[in-house]
Amino acid sequence: AKQHGGNQVTFYEQGLQSEVEQRLWLEHDLLQAIGTPHLTLYIQPQFGHDGRVTGGELLARWTHPTRGPVSPALFIPVAEETGLISLLGSWSLQFACDALATLREEDETYPLSLNVSPRQLMEPQFVETVRDTLASKNIPGNRLIFEVTEGVLIQDMQAVARRMQALALLGIRFSIDDFGTGYSNLAYLKRLPLYELKIDKSLVQDIPGDSDSLAIVQLILAMADQLNLRVVAEGVETEAQSRFLFEHDCHAQQGYLLARPMPLKAWVDMIRA
Ligand code: C2E
Ligand code: CA
Ligand code: CA
Ligand code: CA
């Protein structure tokens, strides 16, 4: 089968059915797909200055038996709305710990980044699920980085902070995903146990040409430096973007220029190369 790491042709783009119909099959078929080979996770490597892999982000890949590849941008929101996200979430947690357990035998220490949606993060059972899954594979929590979007922070800030603290006690590290696109209130940065900021690809794609994006990216890098946070840039597609980011002390990069999302095995081969 052809690799479909990036620009997947989605059913949505084919534009043949109403939104309601689409939602119905998405919800129904996604539930069917969980636990089958049709739904899997790819890993997109992240790279440091020296060109070596520093870790990777898990990205869901669904190949529908009749409709072909379905973009996560389409099915993740449906999973969020219907609550399927908790099933999907525990499955990906399991996948991540399984993957890390294979590495451990080879004495590797790379962390994996997981997208955790707001609803999933605030599930009553979530901390317990994380603790149990880590324990079942004997994986230390610091092998996982949870990517949460700024959107999670417009909820009950206190509850979110408490939840993150509880997970931080397990060793889990947190990254703010799509940073620079959301809310202007930055006060939360100090109040949360954060490890990393992930600069959104919409900003990355406009540098170094666009002066506004350039200013924002430089501001993020300076702020992260002050707050002692790691910065990862996503969506790096050109040499010019990559050079600018490394010259301005961005810690790691992720994007098609360096590597597309790939199956676990390919990622493992890459870190061992
Ligand atoms: P995201 O977390 O911002 O993930 C980055 C997206 O950018 C991914 O799209 C990735 O394939 C794509 N990308 C990577 N490098 C480049 C590049 O150089 N150029 C461009 N144009 N794009 C690049 P993908 O895989 O379609 O995922 C879309 C979104 O769906 C993700 O955005 C994330 O929010 C969500 N998502 C994906 N998998 C999961 C999952 O397992 N769980 C949850 N909760 N959300 C997921
Ligand atoms: Ca992400
Ligand atoms: Ca992102
Ligand atoms: Ca993004």
Side-chain angles (χ1 to χ4, degrees):
K2 227 173 113 246
Q3 202 169 301
H4 48 83
N7 305 317
Q8 307 183 26
V9 178
T10 64
F11 168 73
Y12 187 71
E13 284 152 2
Q14 294 161 16
L16 293 171
Q17 285 176 15
S18 76
E19 244 173 75
V20 180
E21 281 176 290
Q22 175 176 294
R23 239 196 91 102
L24 282 173
W25 73 255
L26 274 171
E27 182 180 351
H28 177 266
D29 295 2
L30 182 58
L31 180 59
Q32 303 290 312
I34 297 174
T36 76
H38 295 139
L39 189 68
T40 187
L41 286 157
Y42 270 30
I43 305 185
Q44 188 173 32
Q46 296 175 353
F47 298 84
H49 287 251
D50 55 3
R52 295 201 58 88
V53 177
T54 58
E57 177 182 11
L58 293 175
L59 293 161
R61 291 293 176 263
W62 179 18
T63 308
H64 191 283
T66 57
R67 299 174 194 271
V70 185
S71 168
L74 200 61
F75 68 79
I76 295 293
V78 173
E80 267 271 297
E81 284 165 39
T82 58
L84 255 185
I85 197 74
S86 46
L87 191 58
L88 199 75
S90 40
W91 166 77
S92 46
L93 207 57
Q94 191 76 49
F95 182 101
C97 290
D98 282 341
L100 289 168
T102 13
L103 290 184
R104 196 178 35 145
E105 293 162 10
E106 312 296 325
D107 204 27
E108 308 282 12
T109 53
Y110 301 89
L112 285 177
S113 298
L114 266 177
N115 291 290
V116 175
S117 68
R119 179 160 176 173
Q120 193 190 346
L121 181 71
M122 298 316 288
E123 289 261 304
Q125 300 301 310
F126 187 58
V127 179
E128 218 176 312
T129 305
V130 174
R131 187 192 298 114
D132 292 350
T133 311
L134 288 168
S136 73
K137 302 283 168 189
N138 199 20
I139 303 291
N142 65 10
R143 302 292 300 283
L144 294 177
I145 297 171
F146 285 178
E147 296 189 3
V148 297
T149 54
E150 288 176 90
V152 80
L153 304 166
I154 58 167
Q155 306 186 351
D156 180 353
M157 179 60 198
Q158 299 255 322
V160 170
R162 270 199 305 274
R163 180 51 60 95
M164 286 171 71
Q165 300 289 358
L167 289 161
L169 286 176
L170 301 176
I172 302 290
R173 289 176 286 177
F174 286 92
S175 175
I176 302 289
D177 203 356
D178 300 346
F179 193 74
T181 58
Y183 309 86
S184 51
N185 179 5
L186 298 176
Y188 65 79
L189 288 181
K190 290 188 305 189
R191 297 169 53 191
L192 299 173
L194 298 183
Y195 166 69
E196 176 185 279
L197 301 179
K198 202 158 180 189
I199 306 179
D200 190 60
K201 59 174 178 273
S202 64
L203 289 170
V204 172
Q205 279 165 7
D206 285 345
I207 60 166
D210 179 80
S211 58
D212 289 342
S213 297
L214 204 67
I216 297 171
V217 167
Q218 283 179 296
L219 207 61
I220 293 174
L221 287 164
M223 187 177 65
D225 186 49
Q226 287 291 309
L227 294 168
N228 252 314
L229 296 172
R230 173 187 155 94
V231 187
V232 180
E234 72 172 20
V236 178
E237 291 182 351
T238 69
E239 292 285 357
Q241 289 160 1
S242 182
R243 205 175 317 112
F244 177 89
L245 288 161
F246 278 143
E247 277 168 4
H248 289 79
D249 296 323
C250 180
H251 302 96
Q253 300 186 8
Q254 182 182 341
Y256 296 164
L257 175 72
L258 304 151
R260 296 211 167 222
M262 56 186 72
L264 172 66
K265 194 185 169 305
W267 182 78
V268 173
D269 288 346
M270 191 169 241
I271 61 178
R272 291 190 184 145

